[in-house]
Amino acid sequence: VFSGVGADKNNYLINEYLQNEIFEKEIFKLCKLDPLSFENEINAVKEQKNRDLDKFIDNHDTSDLFEKVASSNIKFNYYSNKEAYPVINYTYNKHNIFTELPEDFYNYRTEVDYNDEGYLDYLNYNSFLRFSLNNFTLANHLSHSESNEYVNTSLCYNMDKLRLIDSLVKNNTIKNNLLYYHTMLFLTKNKHIEKNESIKNEFLKYSTDEKNNQKITDLFIAINKLVPGEYFPSIKIKNTKSSEIDFYSVINKPTAVYFWSRNYVKHFKESHYKVLELKRKYPEVDFIAINIDDFSSNTFINTLQEGNFSLENEYQFKNPEAAMHTLAIYPMNKVIIVDKNNVIVNSKANLFSRHF
């Protein structure tokens, strides 16, 4: 928040954003409801938000741009919730979901422009596009799939999604962004490495963004080298005394390597708290933290001390950008587990998984 010109409008939008964050947690519960009950619940939320916006506009000097952004915020968040319903819905037989939906459940789709570059950097618009494409793909996938179960890491499902993006979205910038986002998501979550080449090739067939194409190709190569049984790549790291060492030299027993950034404060703190708990539970395992930021040792140490965290087993990359590519560090909560001989056991673990 801030004071000064535009402060009221800024604070309105910030509050709206925070309310949406809270409501996101409720959506998973609401998706257990039947379609009509679900729709009534999210309609009530949308109507209240519209009333709040009308009241704000009456009491403040607002511009056309602000009103467009604020109303779009409500609209696309509502659309996202409706698009998420079949995908999140807690039923095994997904075929039944689409037959049970009211006929007018998705009437708003006729008003939506899937190629509006004016919303290119707009969070709620992009969220809507992603949810909507997941939904379209699910309906299409179930029409030819032998299984009624929805598995978001299924190769067939994700191949269907890339083809759908290519056919539905005509704006090259939006299309390339969506292709990149969904391909990146698949590659970083998929545990069956033999399927990666198919999704990479399908992506390259449709994407016209050379920079994204190179990123996906590099990620594909990096992930293929991070499979169980391979050695952890030779990476140079720095300790808290700024001494440069090889990663191999710090491995003495089974080790979980996790990563953090000052830019992701919540993850930084929660991952370190979680490791304190895991250290007590698994004394036979080492936990090594590597900071991915390209900043000074003083900032690195001060960040840890401000959080009241120990400096033990804390390191920085000597070359963060190159190391992040080599280790395919995406998403941030990724953990790589190696044995005492520095051989990879799992390159896609998650500290917060109940199966960790």
Side-chain angles (χ1 to χ4, degrees):
V1 297
F2 63 88
S3 60
V5 176
D8 289 339
K9 290 180 285 186
N10 172 77
N11 296 345
Y12 167 86
L13 291 173
I14 289 292
N15 287 331
E16 167 74 7
Y17 175 81
L18 295 174
Q19 288 172 13
N20 287 343
E21 275 195 326
I22 295 169
F23 190 65
E24 278 177 12
K25 298 174 183 177
E26 294 298 315
I27 282 295
F28 287 90
K29 298 177 184 177
L30 295 179
C31 282
K32 296 178 182 180
L33 301 173
D34 64 85
L36 188 58
S37 299
F38 172 80
E39 192 168 33
N40 288 338
E41 289 286 344
I42 63 171
N43 279 343
V45 173
K46 180 190 69 170
E47 289 166 6
Q48 182 58 54
K49 287 183 177 181
N50 281 326
R51 286 194 294 270
D52 291 342
L53 176 59
D54 290 340
K55 184 177 179 181
F56 183 88
I57 292 171
D58 289 341
N59 295 325
H60 297 83
D61 182 19
T62 58
S63 64
D64 290 341
L65 176 60
F66 169 80
E67 292 174 20
K68 177 184 177 182
V69 170
S71 60
S72 296
N73 193 40
I74 297 169
K75 178 175 67 177
F76 284 117
N77 193 62
Y78 171 74
Y79 293 167
S80 294
N81 291 334
K82 295 198 80 171
E83 295 290 347
Y85 177 74
V87 177
I88 297 175
N89 190 275
Y90 286 73
T91 60
Y92 173 80
N93 191 336
K94 294 292 183 181
H95 279 289
N96 290 348
I97 295 174
F98 293 102
T99 58
E100 292 170 0
L101 293 177
E103 288 186 10
D104 61 350
F105 197 75
Y106 289 119
N107 276 2
Y108 61 82
R109 285 176 176 170
T110 58
E111 304 171 7
V112 177
D113 183 357
Y114 287 80
N115 299 277
D116 193 337
E117 200 164 339
Y119 286 119
L120 191 60
D121 297 316
Y122 189 50
L123 176 66
N124 287 55
Y125 180 67
N126 283 297
S127 294
F128 161 71
L129 288 179
R130 292 167 187 174
F131 275 122
S132 184
L133 286 163
N134 284 340
N135 199 3
F136 278 133
T137 304
L138 178 60
N140 179 56
H141 177 68
L142 291 175
S143 69
H144 63 79
S145 172
E146 295 180 358
S147 172
N148 291 335
E149 188 176 6
Y150 164 61
V151 181
N152 63 2
T153 55
S154 155
L155 176 62
C156 179
Y157 170 78
N158 282 276
M159 295 281 274
D160 283 346
K161 189 182 298 183
L162 296 189
R163 296 184 192 112
L164 183 66
I165 292 170
D166 180 63
S167 64
L168 183 65
V169 184
K170 303 305 177 186
N171 181 283
N172 279 336
T173 306
I174 295 176
K175 178 191 290 188
N176 286 331
N177 286 349
L178 288 167
L179 288 169
Y180 176 77
Y181 171 82
H182 287 290
T183 304
M184 174 75 81
L185 204 61
F186 178 85
L187 288 174
T188 54
K189 288 191 174 184
N190 174 43
K191 294 182 179 179
H192 303 283
I193 196 167
E194 70 278 3
K195 298 178 180 179
N196 285 348
E197 186 164 13
S198 296
I199 206 78
K200 184 259 295 183
N201 290 340
E202 194 74 8
F203 165 82
L204 292 175
K205 187 192 301 185
Y206 304 126
S207 173
T208 59
D209 187 311
E210 292 303 322
K211 188 176 180 181
N212 284 353
N213 293 354
Q214 190 61 52
K215 285 182 179 179
I216 290 296
T217 301
D218 290 344
L219 178 66
F220 168 76
I221 293 170
I223 288 174
N224 280 8
K225 294 179 180 178
L226 294 170
V227 294
E230 294 292 327
Y231 285 102
F232 190 95
S234 178
I235 299 287
K236 296 294 183 182
I237 55 178
K238 296 185 295 182
N239 60 25
T240 52
K241 296 179 180 178
S242 297
S243 299
E244 182 183 319
I245 55 178
D246 195 288
F247 179 82
Y248 291 164
S249 66
V250 300
I251 302 299
N252 303 303
K253 59 182 182 178
T255 303
V257 187
Y258 65 107
F259 309 93
W260 64 272
S261 167
R262 186 168 176 160
N263 295 327
Y264 299 92
V265 178
K266 185 177 181 181
H267 172 264
F268 159 59
K269 292 183 176 180
E270 289 186 353
S271 61
H272 279 72
Y273 290 140
K274 185 66 178 177
V275 164
L276 290 175
E277 173 191 327
L278 292 169
K279 279 181 177 178
R280 291 190 292 269
K281 192 173 182 180
Y282 303 106
E284 70 278 15
V285 176
D286 263 348
F287 290 85
I288 289 178
I290 303 182
N291 172 252
I292 69 167
D293 299 312
D294 190 7
F295 52 43
S296 70
S297 294
N298 286 339
T299 305
F300 163 57
I301 292 171
N302 289 339
T303 303
L304 289 165
Q305 290 177 334
E306 287 167 5
N308 293 318
F309 297 119
S310 168
L311 300 183
E312 182 184 6
N313 282 347
E314 291 282 351
Y315 300 91
Q316 286 181 288
F317 285 129
K318 179 191 175 185
N319 188 333
E321 186 175 357
M324 286 183 67
H325 284 305
T326 301
L327 299 177
I329 301 174
Y330 179 89
M332 182 62 67
N333 62 6
K334 170 179 180 170
V335 178
I336 301 176
I337 300 174
V338 298
D339 66 14
K340 65 180 181 179
N341 298 313
N342 204 43
V343 174
I344 295 171
V345 177
N346 187 345
S347 63
K348 295 183 178 181
N350 185 334
L351 285 176
F352 304 100
S353 167
R354 68 169 184 251
H355 303 297
F356 179 77

